[in-house]
Amino acid sequence: MARYRSQVADQNKARAHEAAMDEIAAGQDQHRQLGREVAARIGAQEARMAANNTDISFGSAARAIDDTKLIGREDSDALSRNIEQRVRGYQTDMWNYESERRASIAEGKQAKTAGMFSVASTVLGGATQYAGFKASAKGA
């Protein structure tokens, strides 16, 4: 039973690792998508300003574009923190499954050792009874 629990924990650890890797890949895709969205917003702002003959290199036009970039960086940072937190959760799961696997292996070894002591105790007990039987048989 301990061996089975060890194997299950090992499989769960592998699944948690796969989930963490999937989360990282999905996060990279989300970052790319966010970068595209921010670039599209900035492009749209610049196009509107250019259509109104506004110089985007200074003043409120430049500040508006800078603000859009700043919000994009903040969104990117928040996305990174969220992904990191989810990956850390999977890593914690992996460590827990590894601990469970090791505990199951140790439990199996302990059960095996206890079984050997039980057999040895039974053999010694039988030998003691036999010796007592032989001694009483000689005395009779």
Side-chain angles (χ1 to χ4, degrees), residues 2-3 5-7 98-112:
R3 185 180 309 130
R5 283 196 311 268
S6 170
Q7 291 170 344
E98 177 63 19
S99 295
E100 187 177 320
R101 183 186 74 80
R102 289 180 185 195
S104 293
I105 289 171
E107 182 182 327
K109 287 179 182 178
Q110 182 180 11
K112 188 176 182 180

Side-chain angles (χ1 to χ4, degrees), residues 1-22:
M1 188 64 171
R3 185 180 309 130
Y4 171 76
R5 283 196 311 268
S6 170
Q7 291 170 344
V8 169
D10 202 35
Q11 289 173 354
N12 288 338
K13 178 184 169 187
R15 284 192 188 99
H17 181 264
E18 288 173 14
M21 299 309 289
D22 289 346

